[in-house]
Amino acid sequence: MTDKQKKWLYILAVCIFLAFCGLTGWYIGVPMIHFAEEPELFQAWVDRSGIWGRLLFVGMVFLQVIVALIPGEPLELAAGYAFGMVEGTLLSMAGIVLGSAVIFLLVRRFGSKLVEVFFPEKDLKRLSFLKNPKKTKVLAFILMMIPGTPKDMLSYFAGLTPL
């Protein structure tokens, strides 16, 4: 494969990935969030679905982490309402860990090219201080502790660091 063909293949892959994220966010993410925002309906769905409801919920959270544009808070609140505090937390964490691990491994495999889909290369160059393992650990810890920070997006950056 020539360099020109590789470049076109990369552009096509980026376009497909962006289209997938946008369409998934619009056609699945938005209805999913609206569904989770109605606690009684969500609770009834969970009760009817049994174990499949739990597995599908973990899948919803997984998808929310991968498509970082979908907000996670409504799902987390719905989990507490539908499953209770302990089980809701465990199911949410299962989806978050699985989604974050997939992102981390994909970024490790494909490098900054994958992250450049979301962030311009010039912005990534400004983050060169993340190559310092000590600074990276401290910054990651602080950012994870601050409520409201986009932790899903941080998973994309973590794969570029020596963490």
Side-chain angles (χ1 to χ4, degrees), residues 45-103:
W45 174 75
V46 165
D47 291 341
R48 283 191 316 270
S49 302
I51 187 69
W52 291 109
R54 284 153 177 76
L55 292 174
L56 287 171
F57 177 77
V58 171
M60 288 176 179
V61 175
F62 174 85
L63 177 67
Q64 179 274 317
V65 171
I66 299 293
V67 182
L69 303 172
I70 301 171
E73 289 78 10
L75 288 175
E76 293 161 7
L77 292 172
Y81 184 85
F83 303 110
M85 181 180 70
V86 174
E87 186 180 6
T89 299
L90 292 174
L91 291 171
S92 293
M93 291 303 295
I96 291 167
V97 167
L98 289 171
S100 297
V102 167
I103 291 169

